[in-house]
Structures are given as C-alpha cells and as structure tokens.
Amino acid sequence: MEKFSHSLMDNNITQSDTDSVVDFLKKNKKKIFTQSTQVKRFEAEWSKWLKTKYSVFVNSGSSANLVTLQIIKILYGAGEVIVPPLTWISDIASVIQNNFKPVFVDINPRNLCMDENQIIKKINNKTVAVFLTHAQGFNGLSEKLLKTLKKKKIILIEDVCESHGATFKNKKLGTYGLISNFSFYYAHHMSTIEGGMICTNNRKIYETAKMLRSHGMLRESGNKKYEKKLQKKYHFLSPKFIFLYPAYNVRNTEIPAVIGINQLKRLDNNNKIRSKNFKIFLENINEKYYRNDFELEGSSNYAFPLVLKKANLKNRDLLEKIMKKNKIEFRRGNAGGGNQLRQPYLIKYIKDINLKNFKNVDHIHFFGYYIGNYPSLKKTKIKIICQILNNIDYD
Ligand SMILES: Cc1ncc(COP(=O)(O)O)c(C=O)c1O
C-alpha cells in the first residue's frame, strides 16, 4: 500500500500544459521564444478573465510588486505606504527600494489581511498608497475601507498573488485597486512555472509598466505619439535606445505564456473544487484546537490555514512532530513565513515599532500554518488529514 502523504501542491502543471508547450515548439517556425505573440495573447486573455483593460506579464509576482511600486514613485511621488506584516518579502522590499516609508498595521485574524480600522487610523497627509495583500485566498477589502480611500484620495494597490479568483461583492479582487499584482509561481492557484502579472485600467500606468519591464526603454511604451515627442526632445539619442527610467529586464517568455493560456481554461473550475475542499476541511477540523471562523465570503483558497487557538509552544512542537511523522507538508507562519517585522532585512527600518501592537500577526507567526488544498485532493483524504490533526493529544 502507498504510504500516506499530503503535499502543499499537486499536479499544478499537467500533461495538457506540457502538451501545449510541445505543440507550440513544433509549430513555431521562426523559433522566437522571447516575449512575443503568446505573451500578448496571455495578457489579453488574462485581462478578459479579470475584467481589467490592461495586463503586463512579467517573470514573477515579486517583479510585479517591484515594477508597481516604481510606477507609484514615478507617477505619484514619495511618502508613506501602508503595508501588512503578513505578506511576502517583495511587498515590503519593493516599498523600501523605492524609498517609500513602510507603515505597518496588524492583521485581522479572520481573514489574515490588514485590519481595516487600523489602516484607516494610520492614514495621514504623507500616505501615498495602501498596498493590501489578499492573504491566502481571503478578501481584504470592505466597503468602509474603499470609501475612506476614495474620500482621502489614497491609492489602493492589491496584491492578489495568493488569491486568484477571489471576489468582493461578486467582483474579482484585483479590479478594485489602481494596480493589482498576481503570481503564477508553482505553489499558487495556477502556474506558468514562474511568472507574474501587473493589471490596471489606467493607460499611463500600463505604458509605464511595459517600459519598466524592459530596461526602462521608451520604445516599449506602445504609445507612438508619446514616443515621437520624447524622441524629438532627446534627438541626440538613438531613438531605439532611449532609457527613461533606471530599470531592469523582468520580461517573461513565450513558453510560460503558452502554459498560462492553457491553465487559464481550468482556473475557475479548479477554484470551485478548492472552495468545496476548504469547506470539507472546516467541517472536519476540531474547533476546540483550530480556528475555523474565517471570513469565507468571496474567498478562493489554494491552501488551508491551520491555526492553533492556544498560544502554547509545546502544543505547536507536537503538531509539527505529528505532521512530519504523517508526511503532511506544512509551512509555519502562513503567508510569507509569518511576521515580517521579525525578519532581519527590516530591522533598520522599524526602530519605532513595538511588537506588542502586532499580537494577531505574531500569533500566526508562532502558531499558524498552511497545508495544501488543491483540486485533485479527495474528500476521504481531507477527512483522514483532519482525523490525524484532531487526534493530537494537546495540553
Ligand atoms: C502575497 C505575495 N506577493 C508576492 C509574491 C511573490 O511572487 P513570486 O513568488 O512569483 O515572486 C508571493 C509569493 O509567493 C506572495 O505570496
């Protein structure tokens, strides 16, 4: 009998995806595999799926974060950006590297996203943007937050890298912000091996994103009138080599785009199965030990957040021991390894921060986990996983 195990992700790149790549390689007479027609097609299909005007395919979600914050700096200027302590490092690194001051607020334990009231409290005349992460498939938006941001003219950026297909008021996350970011890393709802997307309805942002993706080069903007004007201004430069911004090459290529196009066809159906699975986890996990009061409306979870209710290190070590013994793969700290405020890269930027004001994220840091929730996961297996977790002899 095959030994029991439960991985974080399973089968996220399928035979059908690899077949689509082989087919593309065979049919592509010109052998152009750098960013070209398939990238354009994937961007158009993604925009159609998300219902935004523009999408820019890049080589990772982190690159999407970096380009986005550079756009904000170029088009809207310096200041503070409100960020969560529970997110991926690139959400904070992109803020710091673009010389914004990161301003942290604690999370709401029921959706793992920033607490809306604390965001509103931190807004001041230096605030440029709120960079909100929809953590682990949960919606972090509310009517109150959106209204306040609109009234105070604060930019909303949505990081949807962990929440493809999740919604707020039946509209997809990633359509509310001025810019939104997605990741197609293997561990997420869909994968292009590596990859990310920058989405917006704003033409100027779209054109700037395309330039920043390609060395900051003017000719990538796609706006002929604008290009002509600047070519005239910089007449002493070769028109093909006008570098407007200090940037890098974060382009993606044709093969990941082909995989993305094929993956997109099954994303909605996969998400339906994931949501069904999530409910089975919730119905079977023992609420005496684990949190089960998550805000599910509009959520689309690629993982199950396993959060111990009691802050007890002995219990935590026992849980890890049992999961390891039963080959249940896990990540401690939920999104991004837990509380970013405890990470060495941030120490010099957060001297004024008192960790006591971040109790919710700290609980996740020490007592929160995620385990896999993928479409091929069967009900019987979820029940066995829950049985193993419920039978632990906690203090
Ligand atoms: C919230 C969030 N933002 C950004 C990223 C970065 O995406 P990538 O791994 O594609 O660089 C991740 C990665 O997992 C993430 O979870």
Side-chain angles (χ1 to χ4, degrees), residues 141-180:
L141 296 177
S142 69
E143 200 71 72
K144 184 175 164 184
L145 179 63
L146 288 174
K147 262 194 190 153
T148 309
L149 297 183
K150 197 170 167 200
K151 194 170 142 213
K152 301 201 170 197
K153 296 194 169 59
I154 306 291
I155 293 167
L156 171 68
I157 312 163
E158 294 179 83
D159 184 321
V160 203
C161 289
E162 301 182 1
S163 302
H164 311 52
T167 57
F168 172 59
K169 289 173 75 181
N170 294 321
K171 203 163 124 10
K172 284 198 182 88
L173 302 184
T175 58
Y176 286 91
L178 180 66
I179 311 180
S180 63

Side-chain angles (χ1 to χ4, degrees), residues 6-13 185-190 274 302-303 329 371-376:
H6 177 50
S7 57
L8 282 184
M9 184 52 73
D10 179 53
N11 211 19
N12 210 11
I13 301 223
Y185 178 61
Y186 183 79
H188 294 154
H189 298 68
M190 63 173 267
R274 285 189 167 101
Y302 70 94
E329 200 180 359
I371 57 176
N373 170 22
Y374 40 79
S376 61

